[in-house]
Amino acid sequence: MTYFLQQLINGLQLGFVYALIALGYTMVYGIVRLINFAHGDVFMVGAYLGFFALTSWHLSFPIAILLAMVGCALLGMFIERVAYKPLRNAARISALITAIGVSLFLEYFTSLKFVFGPYFRAYPRPFAIKTYELGGVTISNIQIIVFGVAILLMLALTLFVNYTKTGLAMRAVSFDHSTARLMGINVDNIISLTFGIGAALAGAGGVLYGIAYPQIHPFMGIMPGLKAFVAAVLGGIGIIPGAMLGAVIMGVVEKLTEVYISSTLRDAAAFGILIIVLLVRPAGLLGKKEGEKV
Amino acid sequence: MKRFSSGIVALLILIACFVVVEVLILTGVINPYVQTILSYAGIVVISALGLNLIYGYTGQFSLGHAAFYGIGAYVSALITRAIPNIGFLVLPLGLIGGALSAGVIAFLIGLPILRLKSDYLGIATLGFGMIMNVLFKNSDKVIPVMGGAAGMRGIVKLTTFPWVFFLVVIACIVLRNLIFSGVGRALLSIREDELAAEAVGINTTRYKTLGFVIGCMFAGVAGGLYAHLYTYLNPDNFDFLKSIDVLLIVVIGGMGSISGTVLAGFGWAILLEGLRVVLPSAVQEWRMVVYPLLLIIFMLVRPYGAMGGTEFGFLKPTEYRRG
């Protein structure tokens, strides 16, 4: 039982990192209906920014996270402006293809030797690892930090979206672009902001991933990116609590499969759950079924 | 008379292309390396034609095409390994086996998941692709010959350029005749508006499944050719990124365009290999940096792809041609 609880906590740790990435996917999809394939690579850039902040520039851990968030936010908004905005009125598939292009570009450009380099790097631990016992279950300070930062950011996002004027504008834009524009909302700025916030969360996720699973390389974003996206779909894409729920389920299922069944089947279990959920609830766990318009 | 002559012209062009390439191969101008690239380009085209049927013509967003490509590759490799050497017939038997197995699995998986719409279908097929990839990686636990994550070795080399050329032509003809038939009209109507198609009495489930199964069979054939071209299969050759490659070709060529897919498929294979030749070895690593940039620029300039739903004249039946 304690072993199970222990693995549950490890799964939650993974789930919270996924959640930070999934939020970016879900917000962007909710607002422009685009599967932003480059999001996983923004997460990777965030991990690297944190890495350089901690090693080369000797900054403290909170500053490193902040730096990664700001850097990724700028990157996210830049990508939106250059690659997605010109295609906003084209077929959705064109924007998806440019997203794939941006993703490939980020991966291969950052693996050039003078950028990040193609090799694995060991992530620095900004502090010594301590473990605490709680009724037979051990929990490390790294895990506490991952949970703490993730919950703090998700709480901040929820408050922002639900209780500020800008948050209201975001919800309005996600509902209907042209009506929102009629109401005097600057739709372009809101979309830009959404990309920025999503990318900032992914950047924080990257640093947390770095300290929790201490190895990074330029292609590290692909799998967590896909899983986070799947988590967003699992919870109901476009719905912020859904992304968190889906990500936590994804992380826990993955960890439990790895421990109890086989580590090679870990990815199959995660995607298997997705297919089953989609068949039963096509709009995701928290999604509402949309009626067909005739 | 007009229809007859146009068909003859197309045939003559095809024969001329084939003869030119064969002569170049025999005289050694096209070395085995280039020959392999050409064959690979043809294989990619066959697979992409299948996805174009699924996505471009029927409007079913699939991100799991590489899984069917992989099924075709592994099954046909297993077949050619199992049957005795009966000369000329070995490869066709392998390919038929690969196509049928891809088709059967497409049918089984298609029945439940084709109910999903647009992006959700994409995600479900992506999930299926991921699961198949994991199964390929663990295949050695059931069939040791398949090699699991280490890959399957010792497949006989049977794929030659004439075979690929012939099958690309067959694939184009089959797809063209399908698209301009009653079935094709049903598929196009589903792409344009599924509800309206249903309302005029089209059995959408049946046609969506049919399109999906045929498209996946194309992928199965392509996989079989691939297995017998490189004689080695690795699960990584059939992962999510390979599905993306095929999707790129379909969209770059123009959705719902056979000519576009053929052009984009050859263009894609030749561009990727061409950058390898053109760029000096010192900046080789820039190849994969330049490629996505070209991709982004191309999409910004031509968001509807190279051919954007149009065709070369000879691929259309007479009544669709102008003048």
PDB file of all heavy atoms in Angstrom, chain A residues 29 92-94 96-97 101 105 108 113 226 229 237 264 271 282 293, chain B residues 55 61 119-120 123 130 134 138 195 248 251 285 288-289 292 299 303:
ATOM      1  N   TYR A  29      -5.524  26.188 -28.122  1.00  0.00           N
ATOM      2  CA  TYR A  29      -6.556  25.517 -28.914  1.00  0.00           C
ATOM      3  C   TYR A  29      -7.905  26.176 -28.676  1.00  0.00           C
ATOM      4  O   TYR A  29      -8.673  26.398 -29.607  1.00  0.00           O
ATOM      5  CB  TYR A  29      -6.631  24.022 -28.563  1.00  0.00           C
ATOM      6  CG  TYR A  29      -7.504  23.261 -29.536  1.00  0.00           C
ATOM      7  CD1 TYR A  29      -6.957  22.696 -30.666  1.00  0.00           C
ATOM      8  CD2 TYR A  29      -8.870  23.153 -29.338  1.00  0.00           C
ATOM      9  CE1 TYR A  29      -7.757  22.027 -31.585  1.00  0.00           C
ATOM     10  CE2 TYR A  29      -9.673  22.494 -30.241  1.00  0.00           C
ATOM     11  CZ  TYR A  29      -9.105  21.925 -31.366  1.00  0.00           C
ATOM     12  OH  TYR A  29      -9.898  21.283 -32.274  1.00  0.00           O
ATOM     13  N   ARG A  92      -7.227  25.532 -41.562  1.00  0.00           N
ATOM     14  CA  ARG A  92      -6.560  25.244 -40.291  1.00  0.00           C
ATOM     15  C   ARG A  92      -5.352  24.342 -40.477  1.00  0.00           C
ATOM     16  O   ARG A  92      -4.397  24.414 -39.733  1.00  0.00           O
ATOM     17  CB  ARG A  92      -7.555  24.632 -39.325  1.00  0.00           C
ATOM     18  CG  ARG A  92      -8.421  25.704 -38.692  1.00  0.00           C
ATOM     19  CD  ARG A  92      -9.502  25.075 -37.875  1.00  0.00           C
ATOM     20  NE  ARG A  92      -8.968  24.051 -37.027  1.00  0.00           N
ATOM     21  CZ  ARG A  92      -9.663  22.995 -36.611  1.00  0.00           C
ATOM     22  NH1 ARG A  92     -10.894  22.852 -36.980  1.00  0.00           N
ATOM     23  NH2 ARG A  92      -9.111  22.104 -35.830  1.00  0.00           N
ATOM     24  N   ILE A  93      -5.413  23.486 -41.499  1.00  0.00           N
ATOM     25  CA  ILE A  93      -4.313  22.547 -41.689  1.00  0.00           C
ATOM     26  C   ILE A  93      -3.019  23.292 -42.044  1.00  0.00           C
ATOM     27  O   ILE A  93      -1.927  22.870 -41.648  1.00  0.00           O
ATOM     28  CB  ILE A  93      -4.672  21.484 -42.756  1.00  0.00           C
ATOM     29  CG1 ILE A  93      -3.576  20.435 -42.894  1.00  0.00           C
ATOM     30  CG2 ILE A  93      -4.940  22.102 -44.102  1.00  0.00           C
ATOM     31  CD1 ILE A  93      -3.445  19.536 -41.728  1.00  0.00           C
ATOM     32  N   SER A  94      -3.117  24.434 -42.740  1.00  0.00           N
ATOM     33  CA  SER A  94      -1.906  25.173 -43.103  1.00  0.00           C
ATOM     34  C   SER A  94      -1.181  25.643 -41.841  1.00  0.00           C
ATOM     35  O   SER A  94       0.043  25.561 -41.741  1.00  0.00           O
ATOM     36  CB  SER A  94      -2.249  26.376 -43.959  1.00  0.00           C
ATOM     37  OG  SER A  94      -3.205  26.038 -44.903  1.00  0.00           O
ATOM     38  N   LEU A  96      -1.388  24.281 -38.972  1.00  0.00           N
ATOM     39  CA  LEU A  96      -0.839  23.090 -38.311  1.00  0.00           C
ATOM     40  C   LEU A  96       0.507  22.714 -38.920  1.00  0.00           C
ATOM     41  O   LEU A  96       1.454  22.364 -38.211  1.00  0.00           O
ATOM     42  CB  LEU A  96      -1.823  21.928 -38.455  1.00  0.00           C
ATOM     43  CG  LEU A  96      -1.420  20.661 -37.717  1.00  0.00           C
ATOM     44  CD1 LEU A  96      -1.700  20.810 -36.245  1.00  0.00           C
ATOM     45  CD2 LEU A  96      -2.147  19.456 -38.253  1.00  0.00           C
ATOM     46  N   ILE A  97       0.595  22.808 -40.249  1.00  0.00           N
ATOM     47  CA  ILE A  97       1.854  22.460 -40.914  1.00  0.00           C
ATOM     48  C   ILE A  97       2.954  23.457 -40.531  1.00  0.00           C
ATOM     49  O   ILE A  97       4.087  23.058 -40.269  1.00  0.00           O
ATOM     50  CB  ILE A  97       1.662  22.425 -42.449  1.00  0.00           C
ATOM     51  CG1 ILE A  97       0.610  21.395 -42.827  1.00  0.00           C
ATOM     52  CG2 ILE A  97       2.970  22.137 -43.153  1.00  0.00           C
ATOM     53  CD1 ILE A  97       0.998  19.968 -42.628  1.00  0.00           C
ATOM     54  N   GLY A 101       6.507  22.864 -38.783  1.00  0.00           N
ATOM     55  CA  GLY A 101       7.750  23.469 -39.265  1.00  0.00           C
ATOM     56  C   GLY A 101       8.495  24.180 -38.149  1.00  0.00           C
ATOM     57  O   GLY A 101       9.703  23.996 -37.977  1.00  0.00           O
ATOM     58  N   PHE A 105      12.120  23.240 -36.668  1.00  0.00           N
ATOM     59  CA  PHE A 105      13.152  24.268 -36.676  1.00  0.00           C
ATOM     60  C   PHE A 105      13.757  24.432 -35.286  1.00  0.00           C
ATOM     61  O   PHE A 105      14.977  24.437 -35.119  1.00  0.00           O
ATOM     62  CB  PHE A 105      12.582  25.600 -37.167  1.00  0.00           C
ATOM     63  CG  PHE A 105      13.568  26.711 -37.104  1.00  0.00           C
ATOM     64  CD1 PHE A 105      14.570  26.813 -38.063  1.00  0.00           C
ATOM     65  CD2 PHE A 105      13.541  27.646 -36.076  1.00  0.00           C
ATOM     66  CE1 PHE A 105      15.509  27.821 -37.997  1.00  0.00           C
ATOM     67  CE2 PHE A 105      14.472  28.658 -36.000  1.00  0.00           C
ATOM     68  CZ  PHE A 105      15.461  28.743 -36.964  1.00  0.00           C
ATOM     69  N   TYR A 108      16.019  21.320 -34.419  1.00  0.00           N
ATOM     70  CA  TYR A 108      17.292  21.172 -35.117  1.00  0.00           C
ATOM     71  C   TYR A 108      18.161  22.402 -34.968  1.00  0.00           C
ATOM     72  O   TYR A 108      19.386  22.300 -34.932  1.00  0.00           O
ATOM     73  CB  TYR A 108      17.053  20.830 -36.594  1.00  0.00           C
ATOM     74  CG  TYR A 108      16.628  19.400 -36.749  1.00  0.00           C
ATOM     75  CD1 TYR A 108      15.304  19.045 -36.839  1.00  0.00           C
ATOM     76  CD2 TYR A 108      17.589  18.381 -36.754  1.00  0.00           C
ATOM     77  CE1 TYR A 108      14.913  17.735 -36.948  1.00  0.00           C
ATOM     78  CE2 TYR A 108      17.212  17.066 -36.874  1.00  0.00           C
ATOM     79  CZ  TYR A 108      15.876  16.744 -36.965  1.00  0.00           C
ATOM     80  OH  TYR A 108      15.505  15.434 -37.070  1.00  0.00           O
ATOM     81  N   LYS A 113      25.757  23.208 -32.825  1.00  0.00           N
ATOM     82  CA  LYS A 113      26.783  23.248 -31.762  1.00  0.00           C
ATOM     83  C   LYS A 113      26.877  24.601 -31.072  1.00  0.00           C
ATOM     84  O   LYS A 113      27.122  24.678 -29.882  1.00  0.00           O
ATOM     85  CB  LYS A 113      28.140  22.860 -32.345  1.00  0.00           C
ATOM     86  CG  LYS A 113      28.237  21.377 -32.593  1.00  0.00           C
ATOM     87  CD  LYS A 113      29.659  20.962 -32.933  1.00  0.00           C
ATOM     88  CE  LYS A 113      29.668  19.558 -33.499  1.00  0.00           C
ATOM     89  NZ  LYS A 113      29.095  19.521 -34.887  1.00  0.00           N
ATOM     90  N   LEU A 226       3.685  15.823 -26.690  1.00  0.00           N
ATOM     91  CA  LEU A 226       2.576  15.011 -27.194  1.00  0.00           C
ATOM     92  C   LEU A 226       1.679  14.539 -26.053  1.00  0.00           C
ATOM     93  O   LEU A 226       0.458  14.598 -26.137  1.00  0.00           O
ATOM     94  CB  LEU A 226       3.120  13.777 -27.917  1.00  0.00           C
ATOM     95  CG  LEU A 226       3.452  13.940 -29.390  1.00  0.00           C
ATOM     96  CD1 LEU A 226       3.984  12.634 -29.938  1.00  0.00           C
ATOM     97  CD2 LEU A 226       2.209  14.349 -30.152  1.00  0.00           C
ATOM     98  N   PHE A 229      -0.393  17.275 -24.727  1.00  0.00           N
ATOM     99  CA  PHE A 229      -1.485  17.592 -25.633  1.00  0.00           C
ATOM    100  C   PHE A 229      -2.607  16.567 -25.486  1.00  0.00           C
ATOM    101  O   PHE A 229      -3.793  16.914 -25.408  1.00  0.00           O
ATOM    102  CB  PHE A 229      -0.974  17.626 -27.074  1.00  0.00           C
ATOM    103  CG  PHE A 229      -2.074  17.775 -28.055  1.00  0.00           C
ATOM    104  CD1 PHE A 229      -2.892  18.875 -28.002  1.00  0.00           C
ATOM    105  CD2 PHE A 229      -2.316  16.800 -28.993  1.00  0.00           C
ATOM    106  CE1 PHE A 229      -3.944  19.009 -28.880  1.00  0.00           C
ATOM    107  CE2 PHE A 229      -3.361  16.936 -29.869  1.00  0.00           C
ATOM    108  CZ  PHE A 229      -4.176  18.032 -29.815  1.00  0.00           C
ATOM    109  N   ILE A 237     -10.525  19.563 -24.438  1.00  0.00           N
ATOM    110  CA  ILE A 237      -9.617  20.629 -24.862  1.00  0.00           C
ATOM    111  C   ILE A 237     -10.329  21.979 -24.857  1.00  0.00           C
ATOM    112  O   ILE A 237     -11.505  22.077 -25.153  1.00  0.00           O
ATOM    113  CB  ILE A 237      -8.975  20.305 -26.233  1.00  0.00           C
ATOM    114  CG1 ILE A 237      -7.753  21.183 -26.451  1.00  0.00           C
ATOM    115  CG2 ILE A 237      -9.962  20.442 -27.366  1.00  0.00           C
ATOM    116  CD1 ILE A 237      -6.693  20.548 -27.262  1.00  0.00           C
ATOM    117  N   THR A 264       8.087  -0.714 -20.910  1.00  0.00           N
ATOM    118  CA  THR A 264       7.989  -0.517 -22.351  1.00  0.00           C
ATOM    119  C   THR A 264       6.546  -0.243 -22.774  1.00  0.00           C
ATOM    120  O   THR A 264       6.310   0.288 -23.839  1.00  0.00           O
ATOM    121  CB  THR A 264       8.502  -1.743 -23.136  1.00  0.00           C
ATOM    122  OG1 THR A 264       7.867  -2.897 -22.614  1.00  0.00           O
ATOM    123  CG2 THR A 264       9.990  -1.886 -23.027  1.00  0.00           C
ATOM    124  N   PHE A 271      -1.810   6.204 -24.182  1.00  0.00           N
ATOM    125  CA  PHE A 271      -2.589   6.473 -25.385  1.00  0.00           C
ATOM    126  C   PHE A 271      -3.823   5.581 -25.474  1.00  0.00           C
ATOM    127  O   PHE A 271      -4.830   5.968 -26.053  1.00  0.00           O
ATOM    128  CB  PHE A 271      -1.716   6.343 -26.632  1.00  0.00           C
ATOM    129  CG  PHE A 271      -0.721   7.460 -26.753  1.00  0.00           C
ATOM    130  CD1 PHE A 271       0.610   7.281 -26.403  1.00  0.00           C
ATOM    131  CD2 PHE A 271      -1.131   8.707 -27.174  1.00  0.00           C
ATOM    132  CE1 PHE A 271       1.514   8.324 -26.490  1.00  0.00           C
ATOM    133  CE2 PHE A 271      -0.227   9.747 -27.262  1.00  0.00           C
ATOM    134  CZ  PHE A 271       1.091   9.560 -26.915  1.00  0.00           C
ATOM    135  N   PRO A 282     -16.535  11.757 -26.425  1.00  0.00           N
ATOM    136  CA  PRO A 282     -15.727  12.338 -27.514  1.00  0.00           C
ATOM    137  C   PRO A 282     -15.211  13.742 -27.213  1.00  0.00           C
ATOM    138  O   PRO A 282     -14.221  14.165 -27.784  1.00  0.00           O
ATOM    139  CB  PRO A 282     -16.706  12.369 -28.694  1.00  0.00           C
ATOM    140  CG  PRO A 282     -17.724  11.361 -28.376  1.00  0.00           C
ATOM    141  CD  PRO A 282     -17.843  11.331 -26.891  1.00  0.00           C
ATOM    142  N   LYS A 293     -25.354  21.121 -35.582  1.00  0.00           N
ATOM    143  CA  LYS A 293     -26.162  22.184 -36.176  1.00  0.00           C
ATOM    144  C   LYS A 293     -26.617  21.737 -37.560  1.00  0.00           C
ATOM    145  O   LYS A 293     -25.803  21.321 -38.364  1.00  0.00           O
ATOM    146  CB  LYS A 293     -25.343  23.461 -36.303  1.00  0.00           C
ATOM    147  CG  LYS A 293     -25.062  24.101 -34.972  1.00  0.00           C
ATOM    148  CD  LYS A 293     -24.212  25.349 -35.172  1.00  0.00           C
ATOM    149  CE  LYS A 293     -23.461  25.673 -33.898  1.00  0.00           C
ATOM    150  NZ  LYS A 293     -22.194  26.319 -34.171  1.00  0.00           N
TER     151      LYS A 293
ATOM    152  N   TYR B  55      -7.590  11.848 -46.078  1.00  0.00           N
ATOM    153  CA  TYR B  55      -7.715  13.203 -45.572  1.00  0.00           C
ATOM    154  C   TYR B  55      -8.126  14.179 -46.669  1.00  0.00           C
ATOM    155  O   TYR B  55      -9.086  14.938 -46.512  1.00  0.00           O
ATOM    156  CB  TYR B  55      -6.389  13.625 -44.929  1.00  0.00           C
ATOM    157  CG  TYR B  55      -6.458  14.942 -44.217  1.00  0.00           C
ATOM    158  CD1 TYR B  55      -7.637  15.351 -43.596  1.00  0.00           C
ATOM    159  CD2 TYR B  55      -5.353  15.784 -44.148  1.00  0.00           C
ATOM    160  CE1 TYR B  55      -7.710  16.566 -42.937  1.00  0.00           C
ATOM    161  CE2 TYR B  55      -5.421  16.992 -43.491  1.00  0.00           C
ATOM    162  CZ  TYR B  55      -6.603  17.379 -42.895  1.00  0.00           C
ATOM    163  OH  TYR B  55      -6.659  18.577 -42.245  1.00  0.00           O
ATOM    164  N   PHE B  61      -9.205  13.327 -40.681  1.00  0.00           N
ATOM    165  CA  PHE B  61      -7.876  13.734 -40.241  1.00  0.00           C
ATOM    166  C   PHE B  61      -7.173  12.553 -39.577  1.00  0.00           C
ATOM    167  O   PHE B  61      -7.574  12.126 -38.495  1.00  0.00           O
ATOM    168  CB  PHE B  61      -8.020  14.901 -39.263  1.00  0.00           C
ATOM    169  CG  PHE B  61      -6.740  15.539 -38.867  1.00  0.00           C
ATOM    170  CD1 PHE B  61      -5.660  15.565 -39.723  1.00  0.00           C
ATOM    171  CD2 PHE B  61      -6.617  16.142 -37.629  1.00  0.00           C
ATOM    172  CE1 PHE B  61      -4.477  16.176 -39.354  1.00  0.00           C
ATOM    173  CE2 PHE B  61      -5.441  16.762 -37.254  1.00  0.00           C
ATOM    174  CZ  PHE B  61      -4.373  16.778 -38.123  1.00  0.00           C
ATOM    175  N   ASP B 119     -10.293  17.116 -35.355  1.00  0.00           N
ATOM    176  CA  ASP B 119      -9.082  16.985 -34.554  1.00  0.00           C
ATOM    177  C   ASP B 119      -9.124  15.780 -33.612  1.00  0.00           C
ATOM    178  O   ASP B 119      -8.110  15.153 -33.357  1.00  0.00           O
ATOM    179  CB  ASP B 119      -8.849  18.249 -33.726  1.00  0.00           C
ATOM    180  CG  ASP B 119      -8.436  19.412 -34.609  1.00  0.00           C
ATOM    181  OD1 ASP B 119      -8.050  19.155 -35.760  1.00  0.00           O
ATOM    182  OD2 ASP B 119      -8.515  20.558 -34.148  1.00  0.00           O
ATOM    183  N   TYR B 120     -10.315  15.468 -33.109  1.00  0.00           N
ATOM    184  CA  TYR B 120     -10.410  14.344 -32.185  1.00  0.00           C
ATOM    185  C   TYR B 120     -10.044  13.038 -32.884  1.00  0.00           C
ATOM    186  O   TYR B 120      -9.396  12.169 -32.301  1.00  0.00           O
ATOM    187  CB  TYR B 120     -11.824  14.253 -31.603  1.00  0.00           C
ATOM    188  CG  TYR B 120     -12.112  15.395 -30.676  1.00  0.00           C
ATOM    189  CD1 TYR B 120     -12.851  16.486 -31.092  1.00  0.00           C
ATOM    190  CD2 TYR B 120     -11.595  15.399 -29.382  1.00  0.00           C
ATOM    191  CE1 TYR B 120     -13.093  17.558 -30.246  1.00  0.00           C
ATOM    192  CE2 TYR B 120     -11.831  16.455 -28.533  1.00  0.00           C
ATOM    193  CZ  TYR B 120     -12.577  17.533 -28.970  1.00  0.00           C
ATOM    194  OH  TYR B 120     -12.794  18.585 -28.128  1.00  0.00           O
ATOM    195  N   ILE B 123      -6.312  12.923 -33.087  1.00  0.00           N
ATOM    196  CA  ILE B 123      -5.679  12.525 -31.831  1.00  0.00           C
ATOM    197  C   ILE B 123      -5.822  11.026 -31.602  1.00  0.00           C
ATOM    198  O   ILE B 123      -4.895  10.360 -31.168  1.00  0.00           O
ATOM    199  CB  ILE B 123      -6.299  13.258 -30.627  1.00  0.00           C
ATOM    200  CG1 ILE B 123      -6.346  14.749 -30.873  1.00  0.00           C
ATOM    201  CG2 ILE B 123      -5.538  12.952 -29.358  1.00  0.00           C
ATOM    202  CD1 ILE B 123      -5.127  15.327 -31.422  1.00  0.00           C
ATOM    203  N   MET B 130       0.884   5.523 -31.882  1.00  0.00           N
ATOM    204  CA  MET B 130       1.800   5.358 -30.744  1.00  0.00           C
ATOM    205  C   MET B 130       1.727   3.935 -30.201  1.00  0.00           C
ATOM    206  O   MET B 130       2.745   3.315 -29.898  1.00  0.00           O
ATOM    207  CB  MET B 130       1.399   6.309 -29.613  1.00  0.00           C
ATOM    208  CG  MET B 130       1.671   7.734 -29.922  1.00  0.00           C
ATOM    209  SD  MET B 130       3.427   8.018 -29.788  1.00  0.00           S
ATOM    210  CE  MET B 130       3.521   9.674 -30.379  1.00  0.00           C
ATOM    211  N   VAL B 134       4.668   1.017 -29.993  1.00  0.00           N
ATOM    212  CA  VAL B 134       5.062   0.261 -28.794  1.00  0.00           C
ATOM    213  C   VAL B 134       4.979  -1.243 -29.078  1.00  0.00           C
ATOM    214  O   VAL B 134       5.857  -2.015 -28.667  1.00  0.00           O
ATOM    215  CB  VAL B 134       4.169   0.653 -27.594  1.00  0.00           C
ATOM    216  CG1 VAL B 134       4.405  -0.259 -26.419  1.00  0.00           C
ATOM    217  CG2 VAL B 134       4.423   2.097 -27.207  1.00  0.00           C
ATOM    218  N   ASN B 138       7.869  -4.221 -28.994  1.00  0.00           N
ATOM    219  CA  ASN B 138       7.796  -5.416 -28.149  1.00  0.00           C
ATOM    220  C   ASN B 138       7.494  -6.674 -28.957  1.00  0.00           C
ATOM    221  O   ASN B 138       7.210  -7.715 -28.393  1.00  0.00           O
ATOM    222  CB  ASN B 138       6.723  -5.222 -27.080  1.00  0.00           C
ATOM    223  CG  ASN B 138       7.156  -4.206 -26.052  1.00  0.00           C
ATOM    224  OD1 ASN B 138       8.025  -4.480 -25.231  1.00  0.00           O
ATOM    225  ND2 ASN B 138       6.610  -3.017 -26.139  1.00  0.00           N
ATOM    226  N   LEU B 195     -23.050  16.109 -42.574  1.00  0.00           N
ATOM    227  CA  LEU B 195     -24.490  16.063 -42.260  1.00  0.00           C
ATOM    228  C   LEU B 195     -25.331  16.099 -43.526  1.00  0.00           C
ATOM    229  O   LEU B 195     -26.289  15.343 -43.672  1.00  0.00           O
ATOM    230  CB  LEU B 195     -24.852  17.265 -41.393  1.00  0.00           C
ATOM    231  CG  LEU B 195     -24.778  17.061 -39.895  1.00  0.00           C
ATOM    232  CD1 LEU B 195     -25.181  18.331 -39.196  1.00  0.00           C
ATOM    233  CD2 LEU B 195     -25.671  15.912 -39.481  1.00  0.00           C
ATOM    234  N   LEU B 248       2.678  16.110 -44.309  1.00  0.00           N
ATOM    235  CA  LEU B 248       3.323  17.268 -44.931  1.00  0.00           C
ATOM    236  C   LEU B 248       3.224  17.169 -46.447  1.00  0.00           C
ATOM    237  O   LEU B 248       2.879  18.142 -47.122  1.00  0.00           O
ATOM    238  CB  LEU B 248       4.802  17.328 -44.553  1.00  0.00           C
ATOM    239  CG  LEU B 248       5.148  17.703 -43.119  1.00  0.00           C
ATOM    240  CD1 LEU B 248       6.654  17.740 -42.941  1.00  0.00           C
ATOM    241  CD2 LEU B 248       4.560  19.049 -42.790  1.00  0.00           C
ATOM    242  N   VAL B 251      -0.324  17.870 -47.698  1.00  0.00           N
ATOM    243  CA  VAL B 251      -0.737  19.277 -47.600  1.00  0.00           C
ATOM    244  C   VAL B 251       0.088  20.145 -48.540  1.00  0.00           C
ATOM    245  O   VAL B 251      -0.442  21.054 -49.187  1.00  0.00           O
ATOM    246  CB  VAL B 251      -0.630  19.776 -46.150  1.00  0.00           C
ATOM    247  CG1 VAL B 251      -1.015  21.240 -46.074  1.00  0.00           C
ATOM    248  CG2 VAL B 251      -1.532  18.962 -45.258  1.00  0.00           C
ATOM    249  N   GLU B 285      24.741  19.892 -40.854  1.00  0.00           N
ATOM    250  CA  GLU B 285      23.746  19.909 -39.782  1.00  0.00           C
ATOM    251  C   GLU B 285      22.682  20.981 -40.029  1.00  0.00           C
ATOM    252  O   GLU B 285      21.631  20.958 -39.414  1.00  0.00           O
ATOM    253  CB  GLU B 285      24.420  20.088 -38.433  1.00  0.00           C
ATOM    254  CG  GLU B 285      25.363  21.262 -38.413  1.00  0.00           C
ATOM    255  CD  GLU B 285      26.208  21.312 -37.156  1.00  0.00           C
ATOM    256  OE1 GLU B 285      26.154  20.356 -36.381  1.00  0.00           O
ATOM    257  OE2 GLU B 285      26.913  22.318 -36.959  1.00  0.00           O
ATOM    258  N   MET B 288      18.615  20.146 -41.715  1.00  0.00           N
ATOM    259  CA  MET B 288      17.322  20.037 -41.045  1.00  0.00           C
ATOM    260  C   MET B 288      16.879  21.366 -40.438  1.00  0.00           C
ATOM    261  O   MET B 288      15.802  21.445 -39.853  1.00  0.00           O
ATOM    262  CB  MET B 288      17.378  18.946 -39.975  1.00  0.00           C
ATOM    263  CG  MET B 288      17.413  17.545 -40.544  1.00  0.00           C
ATOM    264  SD  MET B 288      16.042  17.200 -41.668  1.00  0.00           S
ATOM    265  CE  MET B 288      14.672  17.086 -40.515  1.00  0.00           C
ATOM    266  N   VAL B 289      17.744  22.405 -40.516  1.00  0.00           N
ATOM    267  CA  VAL B 289      17.316  23.737 -40.090  1.00  0.00           C
ATOM    268  C   VAL B 289      16.706  24.463 -41.280  1.00  0.00           C
ATOM    269  O   VAL B 289      15.702  25.163 -41.159  1.00  0.00           O
ATOM    270  CB  VAL B 289      18.519  24.533 -39.521  1.00  0.00           C
ATOM    271  CG1 VAL B 289      18.069  25.904 -39.088  1.00  0.00           C
ATOM    272  CG2 VAL B 289      19.119  23.780 -38.348  1.00  0.00           C
ATOM    273  N   PRO B 292      12.820  22.950 -42.392  1.00  0.00           N
ATOM    274  CA  PRO B 292      11.588  23.508 -41.819  1.00  0.00           C
ATOM    275  C   PRO B 292      11.354  24.969 -42.189  1.00  0.00           C
ATOM    276  O   PRO B 292      10.196  25.387 -42.320  1.00  0.00           O
ATOM    277  CB  PRO B 292      11.774  23.347 -40.308  1.00  0.00           C
ATOM    278  CG  PRO B 292      13.143  22.906 -40.087  1.00  0.00           C
ATOM    279  CD  PRO B 292      13.701  22.409 -41.363  1.00  0.00           C
ATOM    280  N   MET B 299       4.383  27.419 -46.785  1.00  0.00           N
ATOM    281  CA  MET B 299       3.008  27.453 -46.280  1.00  0.00           C
ATOM    282  C   MET B 299       2.481  28.889 -46.219  1.00  0.00           C
ATOM    283  O   MET B 299       1.300  29.134 -46.461  1.00  0.00           O
ATOM    284  CB  MET B 299       2.946  26.823 -44.890  1.00  0.00           C
ATOM    285  CG  MET B 299       2.663  25.341 -44.915  1.00  0.00           C
ATOM    286  SD  MET B 299       1.042  24.995 -45.573  1.00  0.00           S
ATOM    287  CE  MET B 299       1.367  23.958 -46.934  1.00  0.00           C
ATOM    288  N   PRO B 303      -0.755  28.747 -48.924  1.00  0.00           N
ATOM    289  CA  PRO B 303      -1.408  27.992 -47.842  1.00  0.00           C
ATOM    290  C   PRO B 303      -2.240  26.815 -48.334  1.00  0.00           C
ATOM    291  O   PRO B 303      -2.549  25.933 -47.548  1.00  0.00           O
ATOM    292  CB  PRO B 303      -2.284  29.038 -47.144  1.00  0.00           C
ATOM    293  CG  PRO B 303      -2.182  30.274 -47.919  1.00  0.00           C
ATOM    294  CD  PRO B 303      -1.119  30.155 -48.951  1.00  0.00           C
TER     295      PRO B 303
END
